[in-house]
């Protein structure tokens, strides 16, 4: 769960991912994306004749040719791949050893397409294209 809080566990202005624990002394921990050593790669991929923009986050210890599980980090309506929530989530997953792709849906951020036209089925098609792209890597 992504969470932004003003004060948590004695830390001011924390932005990160909240992870519940079983310890009543510390009921949750908050991770911070600034600790990540993930490698980021700017990419583009096709979706129904449009070009979508994305960023792949790879763990720093990923060896050439090695395959690992991957996640897609999607933004909400009117957002883009560079929202704080998307960056924190992608960085944290990479820190945990996963490959992640955060991308702009068509018409959002740096992707091509009519800006302001947000259709759910188009976003499903873009997500399918993102999965196809990641599976080909």
């Amino acid at each position: 769960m992504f969470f932004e809080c003003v004060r948590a566990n004695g830390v001011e202005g924390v932005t990160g991912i909240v992870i519940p624990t079983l310890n009543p002394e510390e009921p949750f921990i908050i991770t911070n994306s600034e600790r990540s050593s993930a490698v980021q790669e700017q990419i583009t991929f096709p979706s129904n004749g449009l070009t979508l923009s994305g960023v792949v986050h790879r763990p720093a210890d990923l060896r050439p040719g090695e395959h690992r599980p991957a996640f897609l980090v999607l933004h909400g309506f009117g957002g883009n791949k560079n929202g704080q929530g998307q960056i924190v989530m992608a960085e944290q997953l990479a820190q945990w050893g996963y490959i992640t792709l955060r991308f702009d849906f068509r018409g959002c951020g740096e992707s091509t397409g009519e800006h302001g036209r947000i259709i759910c089925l188009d976003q499903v098609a873009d997500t399918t294209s993102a999965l196809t792209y990641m599976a080909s890597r």
Side-chain angles (χ1 to χ4, degrees):
M1 147 194 298
F2 175 73
F3 188 78
E4 292 184 77
C5 61
V6 175
R7 183 170 180 77
N9 287 358
V11 179
E12 296 285 341
V14 174
T15 301
I17 299 173
V18 175
I19 304 168
T21 71
L22 298 176
N23 179 355
E25 301 288 318
E26 186 179 23
F28 56 89
I29 58 173
I30 300 174
T31 63
N32 187 330
S33 66
E34 292 174 10
R35 298 181 312 179
S36 178
S37 60
V39 176
Q40 296 183 30
E41 176 188 1
Q42 302 284 330
I43 57 96
T44 59
F45 59 94
S47 182
N48 294 347
L50 299 171
T51 301
L52 304 187
S53 173
V55 178
V56 174
H57 296 251
R58 295 187 318 268
D61 64 347
L62 184 70
R63 295 182 307 276
E66 179 184 6
H67 294 282
R68 292 198 189 172
F71 283 87
L72 299 179
V73 178
L74 311 179
H75 64 79
F77 289 111
N80 63 58
K81 70 180 179 302
N82 295 321
Q84 183 65 25
Q86 290 72 30
I87 293 170
V88 169
M89 183 61 71
E91 288 290 318
Q92 186 60 60
L93 289 166
Q95 188 176 1
W96 289 337
Y98 298 100
I99 297 169
T100 61
L101 168 62
R102 59 184 168 93
F103 69 95
D104 292 325
F105 287 113
R106 67 183 69 192
C108 297
E110 299 174 310
S111 291
T112 62
E114 183 182 340
H115 284 268
R117 182 177 188 268
I118 301 172
I119 307 294
C120 290
L121 291 177
D122 288 346
Q123 291 185 331
V124 171
D126 292 347
T127 303
T128 301
S129 296
L131 282 170
T132 300
Y133 172 79
M134 290 300 285
S136 72
R137 290 178 56 103

